[in-house]
Amino acid sequence: GRHNCYEIMGLERTATKKEVNKAYRKLARELHPDHNDAPDAHEKFELLVEAYETLRNEVSRNDYDYLLDHPDLYYEHFYRFFKHSTPRVDVAPILVVSLVVLSILHYLHKISSYNRALDYALRVPTYRNQVSSCFLNRDLRMAGDVSMRQFDHYEHDQLETSKRRHLLRRRGCSTKSTSRE
């Protein structure tokens, strides 16, 4: 940052890890806000902790020393620093989970589209008649007790009424609300 970690801790750049720990303990006792009544004690203590965290770890200390030696390469230093600190994550599980989530969302979208199309077909009279005759033909054929010849003998009016009732029953609606359109 803006401050030199070695100056904050009162150390030379050649200080050992033991000297860093010893200087930190000594300064922490002096600067801790619970023991120091100065108005800027909290800020000074935070700087001390930040300096200690930088200098106690060998990798971060080497990166910090490199930054001090090459201040013109400030932005390249960030790449060097974050290269060590970013966690390594396997991409395969992330891709699998993403694919599963997208597949579920696609499935739900298709079901929703199908239900909207079915509702539209049942609301528009032209399509409703075609859909109802399709369902009735299929249901009558599947029943097995009505042959196609018997089915052809129904009068058109009776067929339309029975189709509407059948569809409304399938959808859970009352048959009393049917009216001829």
Side-chain angles (χ1 to χ4, degrees):
R2 297 173 300 221
H3 306 283
N4 188 327
C5 293
Y6 292 107
E7 290 175 4
I8 292 171
M9 295 190 69
L11 296 170
E12 296 292 322
R13 282 183 66 171
T14 57
T16 65
K17 191 172 184 177
K18 201 175 217 181
E19 290 172 334
V20 170
N21 288 337
K22 186 176 179 182
Y24 172 72
R25 277 190 240 109
K26 178 185 170 204
L27 289 172
R29 274 186 250 120
E30 292 174 14
L31 297 176
H32 196 279
D34 292 344
H35 302 294
N36 190 345
D37 295 331
D40 62 343
H42 185 70
E43 289 82 18
K44 285 183 179 179
F45 186 72
E46 283 182 355
L47 282 174
L48 174 68
V49 170
E50 188 177 318
Y52 175 68
E53 289 294 323
T54 301
L55 297 179
R56 79 180 180 119
N57 183 352
E58 197 63 38
V59 174
S60 65
R61 185 173 179 178
N62 288 338
D63 286 341
Y64 182 72
D65 288 342
Y66 181 83
L67 178 64
L68 289 178
D69 293 338
H70 304 93
D72 54 326
L73 302 176
Y74 182 74
Y75 292 107
E76 290 179 25
H77 166 71
F78 282 112
Y79 170 73
R80 213 172 148 216
F81 174 74
F82 287 117
K83 181 175 69 174
H84 298 295
S85 64
T86 55
R88 303 210 184 273
V89 178
D90 189 16
V91 178
I94 293 172
L95 289 175
V96 168
V97 168
S98 300
L99 185 64
V100 167
V101 167
L102 288 174
S103 297
I104 290 170
L105 290 174
H106 183 257
Y107 174 76
L108 292 174
H109 173 71
K110 287 297 182 182
I111 292 292
S112 171
S113 297
Y114 174 77
N115 287 335
R116 279 196 317 260
L118 191 60
D119 285 343
Y120 179 76
L122 292 175
R123 270 189 275 126
V124 176
T126 307
Y127 297 126
R128 182 177 54 228
N129 292 339
Q130 290 175 358
V131 168
S132 63
S133 68
C134 248
F135 279 126
L136 188 59
N137 287 337
R138 188 194 63 170
D139 289 345
L140 287 175
R141 285 187 204 143
M142 289 175 66
D145 57 352
V146 178
S147 68
M148 284 305 290
R149 274 183 267 128
Q150 290 172 331
F151 178 73
D152 289 336
H153 289 94
Y154 286 130
E155 292 181 12
H156 180 70
D157 235 9
Q158 292 172 339
L159 181 61
E160 287 298 317
T161 304
S162 64
K163 286 189 286 184
R164 284 194 184 112
R165 285 186 182 146
H166 177 73
L167 275 178
L168 289 172
R169 266 187 258 120
R170 285 182 69 113
R171 294 188 75 196
C173 300
S174 169
T175 57
K176 294 179 182 176
S177 65
T178 60
S179 63
R180 188 147 193 171
E181 296 181 16

